[in-house]
């Protein structure tokens, strides 16, 4: 254990030194262990006869400096293992740091401060669980607010003892992590260090180890690089910092989902020793990981998890792993990746019973489903409690599914005969949809490929038809052995079958299952039909863009050369835009949705689109395609790692940015023959984005020689385009569809054909080391870069939109924008009741996205305005705000703000007098406080032209407001 440093005058009496370095000594008590002679025997006897409270621990660590005769105890241990752990921590975290100091007194002061910090943090973590509040956390929160001037609305999440590196000198202190800020304070050796960083300003956050900074956390902003080290638990600290930075990036992205998560729940008992926010953030991280692993709906919350084994009948193996339980699902994931995954919706469960324990099968639990499948779990640590929790959740399940009479025939896909798998929409008894009337065509209740087959009967297809039948037979055998539907055992054999290509008759069904869309569809019966009905006849910017792109969606396919396919595509896209106005519609959604409609009904295609946009490809289809840009950054990073020689060339040509967006946004559907790209979509629904990244790397690798010889971007794009157009699917039973890139293959020397299954095989052989967890970590890193880059772009756009005669330089405008934006964000942090706290609408022009209210303007006025003058400042600020607020919405934009600042800072004396004069007239002067100003009415008569221009500007502003209002009404 760590000890508060105390002086030891005689270091070697009764102790033996076992390890030493220039700053620390590890000693063992004489008489402990082997040897020791007569002295050891005497010391051992003395220790034994003493009472337990006076006995000395057999191991200790002392701090020393070379020229000092005084030693300080810093740690003790009852075992060699315990003391060695402390010794290694000191060597790894302090030894190199202490060598930087020149003064031995500074070294001792630093060591004592660090040990005291570690002890305080250990005491904080070891506080008893329960309802008592020891006051430590509350005291730290109050200290944080006082030290950094934070209001009560700023909640502390956790605090840690660490060192901040200022230059080459470490400053021992406390790191406070709040919801919106990172704060650090140190007072050591008479020097004070105080830091405050907003999470929204963080551009880089990494955990690394260098020669100068041993195992440190790096935090970058646009202005500075900060390094923190010597944490007691650096992993926990970094994980929490990642979560908070992620929340801040969501705020800048300004999605609806972030606002829901941002309202952190208030604990039922506020006086608890652990930060409620820390608990909530940990729970949120576990929930997100759980939902992502099993493709579950966004509102599913993990209740708990436990280690267990799962019996797989065919393999006759007990597979070790983790069971996860939530309010609607029981899930299992094996320890070894890809061995087995299982999802059991509680709506399917019929029996949960405890089987008899035996030495071979301890604490077994049997779960049976409506589809006559039985799952056997064993080695459960607390089986009785688990059964009780499952029973509680089952009791809360509706006795009859909200799907009405049709839900009784649902029986999930497992109960269907393999030969004929009816569309789930027909099983649910869904009506054709009331939306068919406005367009005069029936709703597509099955995949468009069934309505527009275009291919010959299977028996006339020869080898292709035989191969397709063989694939179907493989899957039917798999269903027989591992189950069919949501509760299917998903094993390495499942993945192998997916890589061989899903037969067309099963493609829609398996896409629904692997993506998780089936779960949402059966739990929301009638939802799509209601959305279609509500969205019919509604017009907005999204519907205009949808109409424009409808006939560009796979125009070469017969299913979209008639009104039936076009109308179905219109309804699905419009319904989704109505469901999620934050995304609305984005180009590339039409291409993906048209393919989904080929293999599923409208309702199935809609829920597949939901799974894509909201879970599998997060933030891909918003107005700034942030998710695609993030994965583009990951692709660049992976190219540097796996293809370093090609990476430099691609960066020089600027090709990656051009190719990756079209590849990722459409899952290769727009750049590869349809029958080949759809095989990649098969793998994507099972494996996620890693397949897309693997295939992209394999494509670059296959064309490396030609790409290295390219002289410009156009040549490189042609090389890749010709290659992609010749990726063929020789097993496809559908007739080839003319591809848009066919023109690229014209020439005397067309490239050789590449089989899509060979390309997939190579991508798995060469790049299969990619893991979903690693991709998520890279996504966080790239998300910081992308969103901050977009914010910088927005800042430059705003500054360029300010008229040149405003008087401020570009640099001054950028500084003012940063201050103005920060003030707006404070209303998001603490001002939920303020008008400025309304959610920023990213669809507005950049100039109008950030706005501040009167109280915020008053704070900026007091700090920035040259007219701030003591007690009159609030009055002047209020009048100036009313003067600038031309649309009377109690908010001003950045353009209005700099206009007001420019009037005070720039211009001649007459212009400044004019501004001052206007501050004494309505609207700046409230009507009840208006004073007579008749003597000044003719003061500026000679400057009538500028007054007319001002009035004209006001009329134009009012006209723009009317246009905005009409657009808003139309939306």
């Amino acid at each position: 254990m760590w000890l508060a440093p105390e002086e030891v005058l005689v270091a070697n009496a009764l102790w033996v030194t076992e390890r030493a370095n220039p700053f620390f000594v590890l000693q063992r008590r004489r008489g402990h262990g082997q040897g020791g002679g007569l002295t050891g025997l005497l010391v051992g006897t003395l220790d034994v006869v003493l009472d337990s409270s006076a006995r000395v621990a057999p191991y200790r660590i002392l701090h020393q400096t070379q020229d000092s005769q005084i030693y300080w105890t810093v740690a003790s241990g009852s075992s060699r293992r315990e003391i060695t752990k402390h010794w290694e921590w000191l060597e790894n975290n302090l030894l190199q740091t202490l060598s930087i100091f020149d003064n031995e007194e500074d070294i001792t002061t630093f060591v004592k401060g660090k040990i005291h910090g570690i002890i305080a943090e250990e005491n904080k973590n070891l506080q008893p669980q329960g309802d008592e509040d020891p006051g430590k956390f509350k005291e730290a929160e109050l200290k944080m607010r006082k030290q950094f001037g934070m209001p009560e609305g700023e909640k502390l999440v956790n605090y840690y003892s660490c060192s901040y590196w200022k230059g080459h000198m470490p400053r021992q202190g406390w790191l406070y992590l709040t919801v919106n800020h990172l704060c650090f304070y140190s007072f050591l050796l008479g020097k004070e260090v105080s830091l405050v960083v907003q999470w929204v300003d963080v551009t880089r956050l990494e955990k690394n180890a260098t020669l100068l900074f041993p195992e440190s956390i790096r935090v970058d902003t646009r202005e500075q690089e900060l390094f923190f080290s010597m944490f007691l638990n650096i992993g926990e600290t970094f994980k929490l910092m990642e979560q908070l930075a992620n929340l801040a990036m969501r705020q800048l992205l300004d999605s609806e989902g972030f606002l829901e998560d941002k309202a952190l729940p208030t604990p039922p008992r506020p006086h608890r020793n652990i930060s409620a926010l820390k608990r909530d953030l940990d729970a949120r991280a576990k929930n997100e990981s759980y939902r992502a692993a099993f493709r579950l709906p966004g509102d599913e919350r993990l209740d708990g998890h436990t280690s267990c084994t799962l019996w797989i009948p065919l393999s006759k193996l007990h597979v070790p792993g983790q069971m996860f339980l939530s309010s609607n699902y029981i899930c299992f994931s094996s320890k070894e990746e890809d061995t087995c995954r299982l999802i059991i919706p509680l709506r399917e469960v019929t029996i949960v019973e405890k089987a008899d324990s035996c030495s071979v099968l301890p604490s077994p639990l049997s779960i049976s489903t409506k589809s006559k499948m039985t799952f056997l779990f064993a080695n459960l640590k607390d089986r009785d409690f688990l059964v009780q929790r499952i029973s509680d959740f089952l009791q809360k399940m509706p006795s009859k599914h909200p799907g009405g009479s049709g839900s009784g025939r649902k029986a999930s896909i497992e109960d269907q005969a393999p030969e004929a798998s009816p569309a789930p929409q027909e099983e649910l008894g869904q009506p054709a949809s009331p939306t068919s009337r406005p367009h005069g065509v029936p709703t597509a209740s099955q995949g468009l490929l069934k309505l527009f087959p275009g291919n010959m009967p299977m028996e006339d297809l020869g080898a292709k038809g035989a191969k397709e039948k063989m694939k179907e037979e493989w899957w039917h055998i798999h269903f027989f052995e591992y189950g069919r539907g949501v509760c299917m055992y998903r094993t390495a054999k499942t993945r192998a079958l997916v890589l061989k290509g899903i037969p067309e008759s099963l493609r829609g069904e398996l896409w629904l299952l692997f993506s998780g869309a089936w779960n949402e569809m059966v739990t929301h019966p009638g939802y799509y039909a209601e959305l279609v009905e509500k969205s019919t006849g509604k017009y907005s910017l999204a519907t205009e863009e949808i109409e424009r792109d409808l006939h560009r969606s796979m125009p070469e396919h017969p299913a979209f050369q008639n009104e039936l396919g076009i109308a179905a595509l219109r309804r699905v896209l419009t319904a989704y835009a109505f469901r999620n106005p934050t995304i609305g519609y984005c180009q590339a959604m039409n291409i993906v949705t048209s393919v989904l409609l080929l293999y599923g009904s409208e309702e199935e295609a809609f829920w597949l689109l939901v799974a894509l946009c909201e879970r599998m490809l997060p933030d891909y289809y918003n107005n700034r395609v942030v998710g695609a840009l993030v994965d583009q950054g990951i692709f660049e990073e992976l190219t540097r790692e796996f293809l370093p020689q090609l990476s430099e060339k691609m960066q020089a040509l600027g090709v990656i940015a051009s190719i990756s967006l079209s590849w990722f946004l459409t899952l290769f559907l727009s750049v590869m023959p349809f029958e080949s790209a759809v095989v990649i979509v098969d793998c994507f629904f099972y494996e996620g984005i890693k397949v897309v990244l693997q295939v992209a790397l394999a494509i670059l690798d296959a064309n490396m020689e030609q790409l290295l010889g390219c002289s410009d971007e156009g040549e490189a794009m042609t090389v890749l385009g010709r290659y992609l157009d010749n990726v063929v699917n020789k097993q496809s039973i559908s007739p080839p569809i003319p591809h848009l890139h066919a023109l690229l293959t014209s020439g005397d020397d067309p490239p050789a054909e590449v089989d899509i299954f060979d390309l997939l095989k190579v991508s798995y052989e060469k790049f299969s080391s990619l893991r979903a967890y690693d991709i998520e970590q890279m996504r966080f890193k790239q998300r910081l870069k992308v969103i901050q880059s977009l914010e910088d772009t927005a800042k430059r756009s705003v500054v360029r939109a300010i008229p040149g005669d405003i008087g401020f330089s570009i640099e001054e405008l950028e500084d003012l924008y940063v201050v103005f934006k920060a003030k707006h964000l404070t209303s998001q942090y603490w001002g939920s009741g303020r008008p400025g706290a309304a959610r920023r609408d990213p669809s507005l022009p950049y100039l109008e996205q950030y706005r501040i209210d009167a109280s915020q303007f008053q704070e900026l006025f007091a700090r920035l305005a040259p007219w701030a003058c003591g007690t009159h400042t609030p009055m002047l600020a209020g009048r100036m705000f009313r003067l600038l607020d031309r649309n009377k919405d109690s908010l001003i934009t950045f353009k209005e703000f700099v206009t007001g600042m420019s009037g005070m800072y720039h211009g001649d004396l007459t212009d400044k007098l004019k501004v001052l004069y206007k501050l004494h007239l309505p609207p700046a002067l409230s009507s009840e406080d208006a004073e007579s100003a008749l003597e000044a009415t003719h003061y500026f008569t000679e400057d009538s032209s500028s007054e007319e221009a001002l009035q004209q500007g006001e009329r134009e502003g009012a006209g723009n407001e009317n246009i905005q209002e009409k657009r808003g009404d139309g939306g």
Side-chain angles (χ1 to χ4, degrees):
M1 60 182 293
W2 298 103
L3 300 175
E6 292 184 0
E7 287 188 28
V8 177
L9 295 178
V10 184
N12 295 319
L14 310 181
W15 294 86
V16 178
T17 298
E18 292 200 340
R19 294 190 189 182
N21 60 46
F23 304 106
F24 298 100
V25 176
L26 189 156
Q27 295 184 331
R28 172 177 53 83
R29 184 79 164 169
R30 291 183 187 274
H32 184 80
Q34 297 179 352
L38 180 60
T39 306
L41 183 61
L42 291 173
V43 174
T45 304
L46 178 65
D47 289 344
V48 169
V49 300
L50 290 174
D51 64 331
S52 59
S53 62
R55 287 179 188 171
V56 180
Y59 297 97
R60 70 179 183 182
I61 298 176
L62 304 178
H63 164 62
Q64 64 159 7
T65 53
Q66 292 180 354
D67 298 331
S68 175
Q69 300 301 315
I70 300 176
Y71 292 76
W72 299 83
T73 57
V74 295
S76 66
S78 58
S79 66
R80 184 177 296 277
R81 181 179 179 182
E82 180 186 2
I83 203 68
T84 301
K85 181 181 176 182
H86 290 334
W87 178 264
E88 290 176 350
W89 190 92
L90 291 170
E91 283 195 325
N92 293 333
N93 290 277
L94 286 188
L95 202 59
Q96 190 172 356
T97 302
L98 297 178
S99 62
I100 298 172
F101 288 91
D102 297 326
N103 189 317
E104 291 190 356
E105 290 184 7
D106 292 349
I107 294 175
T108 301
T109 303
F110 181 82
V111 170
K112 289 165 67 178
K114 184 63 190 175
I115 300 301
H116 279 299
I118 292 174
I119 293 171
E121 187 164 342
E122 280 189 337
N123 290 339
K124 177 190 71 171
N125 294 332
L126 293 175
Q127 288 169 2
Q129 301 293 316
D131 298 334
E132 285 189 43
D133 180 13
K136 294 290 185 183
F137 188 87
K138 190 173 183 180
E139 180 183 339
E141 189 168 37
L142 292 173
K143 186 186 294 184
M144 177 273 297
R145 288 184 187 145
K146 182 178 179 182
Q147 184 65 50
F148 303 103
M150 299 289 179
E152 284 195 20
E154 185 68 0
K155 302 296 184 182
L156 178 65
V157 180
N158 214 345
Y159 61 102
Y160 301 93
S161 170
C162 70
S163 292
Y164 160 65
W165 290 80
K166 190 170 184 180
H168 296 298
M169 297 295 291
R171 301 292 181 186
Q172 175 62 31
W174 289 94
L175 180 70
Y176 299 90
L177 304 181
T178 73
V179 174
N180 302 298
H181 297 86
L182 175 154
C183 307
F184 177 84
Y185 182 77
S186 169
F187 186 81
L188 193 65
L189 307 177
K191 296 181 180 178
E192 184 181 47
V193 176
S194 181
L195 294 172
V196 177
V197 176
Q198 291 188 89
W199 290 115
V200 291
D201 291 333
V202 172
T203 58
R204 182 176 181 179
L205 182 62
E206 290 181 348
K207 182 176 67 173
N208 50 30
T210 62
L211 290 175
L212 184 59
F213 304 118
E215 200 172 23
S216 61
I217 294 177
R218 175 177 178 172
V219 182
D220 287 5
T221 66
R222 291 175 179 82
E223 292 80 26
Q224 55 187 337
E225 298 176 359
L226 309 174
F227 290 88
F228 301 93
S229 66
M230 289 179 274
F231 292 92
L232 192 61
N233 190 337
I234 192 170
E236 175 195 325
T237 310
F238 183 71
K239 183 179 178 182
L240 179 57
M241 294 170 78
E242 273 190 328
Q243 288 177 295
L244 294 170
N246 237 334
L247 287 176
M249 293 307 104
R250 299 301 309 174
Q251 182 180 21
L252 289 177
L253 194 57
D254 213 9
S255 68
E256 291 286 355
F258 168 71
L259 287 182
E260 293 168 6
D261 288 343
K262 182 71 167 58
L264 296 168
T266 303
R269 297 173 179 174
H271 296 294
R272 282 188 280 180
N273 56 310
I274 301 173
S275 163
L277 298 184
K278 177 70 166 60
R279 279 193 303 273
D280 292 333
L281 287 169
D282 288 343
R284 182 180 301 163
K286 290 179 181 178
N287 288 332
E288 289 174 353
S289 177
Y290 170 60
R291 291 192 295 261
F294 299 102
R295 310 272 171 79
L296 300 179
D299 57 354
E300 196 65 20
R301 298 291 184 265
L302 179 65
D303 185 70
H305 60 92
T306 183
S307 58
C308 67
T309 59
L310 172 65
W311 172 253
I312 301 182
L314 182 71
S315 306
K316 291 184 169 48
L317 290 173
H318 291 282
V319 177
Q322 290 274 325
M323 175 195 280
F324 301 85
L325 177 64
S326 57
S327 55
N328 296 291
Y329 297 90
I330 300 170
C331 301
F332 174 84
S333 178
S334 59
K335 276 188 177 179
E336 293 185 14
E337 192 176 6
D338 297 331
T339 301
C340 181
R341 278 194 306 127
L342 181 66
I343 301 170
I344 308 174
L346 290 182
R347 65 178 182 269
E348 296 287 331
V349 174
T350 55
I351 301 174
V352 178
E353 58 182 353
K354 294 181 284 187
D356 295 332
S357 293
C358 63
S359 58
V360 179
L361 205 63
S363 301
L365 178 66
S366 172
I367 299 176
S368 301
T369 66
K370 296 174 183 176
S371 56
K372 308 300 186 292
M373 293 184 72
T374 300
F375 304 95
L376 188 61
F377 298 91
N379 292 285
L380 292 159
K381 292 181 180 178
D382 198 344
R383 182 178 60 168
D384 293 340
F385 177 76
L386 178 63
V387 170
Q388 183 60 47
R389 292 300 295 163
I390 295 175
S391 300
D392 292 342
F393 287 132
L394 285 173
Q395 289 176 2
K396 295 177 183 177
M397 297 293 291
S399 57
K400 189 174 183 181
H401 203 273
S405 60
S407 62
R409 295 185 288 110
K410 169 177 66 67
S412 83
I413 302 179
E414 296 119 322
D415 293 338
Q416 301 166 14
E419 291 77 20
S421 176
Q425 190 175 15
E426 296 173 328
E427 290 181 308
L428 287 166
Q430 293 294 331
S433 172
T435 58
S436 59
R437 292 188 300 272
H439 299 288
V441 293
T443 300
S445 59
Q446 54 184 323
L448 293 178
L449 273 184
K450 294 180 181 178
L451 301 176
F452 302 91
N455 54 319
M456 296 181 290
M458 195 76 76
E459 54 273 12
D460 297 337
L461 289 172
K464 287 185 178 182
K467 182 71 173 178
E468 186 76 2
K469 279 189 173 182
M470 189 183 300
K471 286 182 184 179
E472 290 178 357
E473 188 61 30
W474 288 341
W475 276 99
H476 293 153
I477 293 171
H478 188 274
F479 292 149
F480 177 77
E481 293 174 342
Y482 294 99
R484 184 172 188 175
V486 181
C487 299
M488 173 175 58
Y489 292 92
R490 306 179 192 201
T491 66
K493 289 186 177 180
T494 314
R495 188 174 88 167
L497 282 178
V498 172
L499 287 175
K500 291 178 180 177
I502 297 176
E504 292 201 352
S505 61
L506 297 173
R507 183 163 275 144
E509 172 187 332
L510 293 175
W511 282 4
L512 284 169
L513 295 180
F514 295 150
S515 66
W518 171 257
N519 284 321
E520 287 203 283
M521 187 172 74
V522 297
T523 53
H524 295 82
Y527 177 81
Y528 171 70
E530 292 175 8
L531 267 184
V532 172
E533 188 171 10
K534 290 179 181 177
S535 60
T536 300
K538 301 289 179 64
Y539 296 97
S540 65
L541 181 61
T543 58
E544 291 179 14
E545 293 175 341
I546 290 169
E547 288 296 329
R548 184 184 62 212
D549 287 347
L550 282 176
H551 294 278
R552 304 176 186 172
S553 308
M554 296 189 69
E556 63 277 8
H557 197 285
F560 298 99
Q561 294 172 354
N562 67 88
E563 185 56 26
L564 177 63
I566 294 296
L569 182 60
R570 177 188 292 113
R571 284 190 292 270
V572 173
L573 291 173
T574 304
Y576 186 78
F578 196 79
R579 165 191 165 90
N580 192 344
T582 302
I583 292 178
Y585 171 77
C586 172
Q587 281 189 337
M589 286 174 67
N590 60 320
I591 296 173
V592 174
T593 307
S594 61
V595 174
L596 301 179
L597 279 167
L598 291 177
Y599 296 100
S601 67
E602 279 187 33
E603 185 180 23
E604 292 167 352
F606 170 79
W607 287 112
L608 282 168
L609 185 62
V610 170
L612 273 175
C613 295
E614 299 175 16
R615 291 197 302 276
M616 301 191 71
L617 296 175
D619 302 321
Y620 258 59
Y621 299 107
N622 58 30
N623 63 330
R624 296 192 285 182
V625 293
V626 170
L629 292 173
V630 167
D631 285 351
Q632 174 185 299
I634 293 175
F635 183 45
E636 293 179 3
E637 193 173 336
L638 293 174
T639 305
R640 285 193 295 271
E641 179 182 347
F642 290 104
L643 307 169
Q645 184 181 4
L646 184 59
S647 173
E648 294 182 9
K649 181 71 173 181
M650 298 292 281
Q651 290 292 338
L653 296 177
V655 173
I656 288 184
S658 302
I659 61 175
S660 54
L661 281 183
S662 59
W663 291 5
F664 297 162
L665 280 170
T666 65
L667 302 174
F668 290 98
L669 289 165
S670 66
V671 295
M672 195 181 283
F674 165 74
E675 58 273 11
S676 302
V678 79
V679 177
I680 297 177
V681 179
D682 291 342
C683 300
F684 167 77
F685 277 122
Y686 188 77
E687 295 261 53
I689 192 63
K690 64 167 284 188
V691 174
V692 178
L693 293 168
Q694 286 177 188
V695 171
L697 288 169
I699 291 170
L700 293 187
D701 185 47
N703 292 276
M704 183 180 294
E705 290 187 11
Q706 287 181 278
L707 290 172
L708 288 174
C710 292
S711 57
D712 55 42
E713 179 185 0
E715 187 179 353
M717 294 290 288
T718 301
V719 168
L720 292 171
R722 286 162 62 88
Y723 177 87
L724 288 168
D725 194 59
N726 283 273
V727 176
V728 298
N729 181 359
K730 297 178 181 178
Q731 300 177 15
S732 174
I733 61 172
S734 299
I737 300 172
H739 189 50
L740 296 177
H741 285 184
L743 293 175
L744 291 172
T745 61
S746 60
D748 299 331
D749 186 20
E753 289 185 342
V754 179
D755 190 275
I756 181 61
F757 296 102
D758 292 339
L759 179 61
L760 276 172
K761 183 180 178 182
V762 169
S763 74
Y764 272 88
E765 288 175 349
K766 291 190 174 183
F767 310 109
S768 61
S769 59
L770 285 177
R771 292 289 178 268
Y773 174 80
D774 298 327
I775 291 173
E776 285 306 311
Q777 289 297 107
M778 287 189 282
R779 271 180 167 172
F780 165 74
K781 179 180 174 182
Q782 294 296 331
R783 192 178 293 116
L784 287 179
K785 291 182 180 178
V786 168
I787 294 181
Q788 296 294 12
S789 174
L790 291 172
E791 289 296 306
D792 289 341
T793 302
K795 179 174 69 175
R796 290 192 292 270
S797 299
V798 168
V799 169
R800 283 199 300 267
I802 301 297
D805 59 353
I806 206 72
F808 291 111
S809 66
I810 297 295
E811 292 76 14
E812 288 172 335
L813 285 173
E814 289 182 348
D815 291 341
L816 285 172
Y817 177 80
V818 170
V819 173
F820 186 87
K821 174 184 166 185
K823 188 57 65 176
H824 166 88
L825 290 175
T826 59
S827 67
Q828 303 289 316
Y829 299 160
W830 311 310
S832 57
R834 291 177 166 179
R839 186 178 69 88
R840 176 171 63 100
D841 184 358
S843 65
L844 291 173
Y846 286 128
L847 272 172
E848 300 174 21
Q849 288 186 17
Y850 293 114
R851 298 176 295 174
I852 60 174
D853 60 23
S855 61
Q856 294 171 313
F857 177 79
Q858 182 177 317
E859 294 172 17
L860 291 180
F861 185 90
R863 293 183 180 183
L864 300 176
W867 292 0
C869 50
T871 58
H872 296 288
T873 300
M875 179 189 67
L876 277 176
R879 293 184 179 186
M880 179 63 77
F881 182 85
R882 288 191 292 271
L883 181 65
L884 297 175
D885 181 22
R886 294 188 175 183
N887 60 359
K888 309 305 176 190
D889 63 349
S890 300
L891 295 169
I892 62 170
T893 64
F894 178 68
K895 183 177 181 180
E896 292 168 334
F897 172 72
V898 295
T899 301
M901 288 291 109
S902 177
M904 291 181 282
Y905 270 102
H906 303 287
D908 55 25
L909 181 61
T910 303
D911 294 330
K912 293 178 180 178
L913 283 172
K914 183 188 295 185
V915 173
L916 188 61
Y917 172 65
K918 289 179 179 179
L919 293 179
H920 292 78
L921 292 175
L925 193 66
S926 57
S927 57
E928 59 271 15
D929 296 331
E931 298 177 0
S932 175
L934 294 176
E935 65 276 8
T937 51
H938 302 293
Y939 186 82
F940 297 108
T941 51
E942 69 274 10
D943 195 14
S944 58
S945 59
S946 62
E947 291 287 348
E948 291 173 1
L950 179 63
Q951 293 170 6
Q952 176 65 24
E954 290 177 348
R955 287 194 293 271
E956 290 176 356
N960 290 335
E961 290 162 25
N962 293 334
I963 293 171
Q964 291 289 343
E965 289 173 3
K966 289 177 182 177
R967 286 180 177 174
D969 294 337

